[in-house]
Amino acid sequence: MKKKLSFCFALILMIGSFGGLSGAKAISVEQEEVIMERCNAVKNALRVVQREDSRVRFYLGRYYETILTKFVTPLNTRLAANTMLSTEFTANQNDLAKTRANFVIDYIEYQKGLEELATMDCQDNPSGFYAKLTRVRERRAVVADDVVRMQDLIDEHYGLVVSLKEEI
């Protein structure tokens, strides 16, 4: 595991050395040569990233679904039945559901892009490969933002529960 992780970091550093996230920027001849030289290593690393991201998505998806179905929704239903439901709880539940749905959609888009990238021939088309890599990195950043947003909403819900507990 440690070996895989260090290899992934090396890949990220190598890929990150090509510049920013802007896909419109043309890459240099030297950068094309590096991509062609390390094509097999990059593709192997992409497969590792793909496999690890899939595991993480499965875990997070199940985690978010469990929080929504076994904690947030039943609590809000119970509060509504006792006429204690506030707009904050309702808004938080709606935001959690929307963010979870966005996470699923964004992850699917990212995964499709990653699959396309993994099947591209980086030896024959290093510029196209790098452009696609840039787009995939941007999609991955969107998924990471979804995860942060979801955690913030879970923390907010926890705070609402603590406040409610103090009131009761």
Side-chain angles (χ1 to χ4, degrees):
M1 179 70 169
K2 193 173 185 180
K3 188 176 180 180
K4 284 183 190 178
L5 193 57
S6 64
F7 183 73
C8 288
F9 284 131
L11 172 69
I12 291 168
L13 288 174
M14 180 192 74
I15 292 169
S17 69
F18 292 132
L21 287 176
S22 174
K25 185 178 178 183
I27 64 174
S28 70
V29 174
E30 293 84 21
Q31 291 169 327
E32 285 184 359
E33 289 173 2
V34 170
I35 291 173
M36 290 187 297
E37 284 175 17
R38 298 181 184 167
C39 183
N40 288 333
V42 170
K43 289 182 117 273
N44 287 335
L46 286 172
R47 284 191 272 291
V48 169
V49 168
Q50 196 172 18
R51 190 172 46 250
E52 296 301 320
D53 281 358
S54 179
R55 288 182 188 154
V56 169
R57 188 222 38 96
F58 177 76
Y59 169 77
L60 287 176
R62 198 169 75 194
Y63 173 73
Y64 297 152
E65 184 65 25
T66 300
I67 288 174
L68 273 168
T69 60
K70 301 211 182 240
F71 179 65
V72 174
T73 303
L75 176 63
N76 287 358
T77 303
R78 183 73 173 196
L79 290 173
N82 291 315
T83 62
M84 296 176 67
L85 187 62
S86 69
T87 57
E88 291 91 7
F89 277 98
T90 304
N92 183 267
Q93 180 181 357
N94 291 337
D95 289 345
L96 280 166
K98 287 176 190 173
T99 303
R100 183 189 165 280
N102 287 341
F103 167 77
V104 170
I105 291 166
D106 292 340
Y107 181 83
I108 289 169
E109 288 179 19
Y110 158 69
Q111 191 65 25
K112 284 179 185 177
L114 188 58
E115 287 174 15
E116 291 170 8
L117 181 64
T119 60
M120 282 184 77
D121 188 357
C122 49
Q123 297 238 332
D124 290 340
N125 186 8
S127 296
F129 181 82
Y130 182 72
K132 182 70 174 178
L133 174 65
T134 301
R135 288 190 298 276
V136 169
R137 289 172 75 200
E138 290 169 350
R139 288 181 182 164
R140 192 169 200 247
V142 170
V143 172
D145 289 344
D146 290 343
V147 170
V148 169
R149 175 75 175 131
M150 194 68 169
Q151 189 59 50
D152 289 346
L153 289 168
I154 291 168
D155 292 344
E156 179 183 325
H157 191 80
Y158 178 77
L160 290 170
V161 171
V162 169
S163 297
L164 178 66
K165 181 181 172 186
E166 290 171 358
E167 289 177 16
I168 294 179

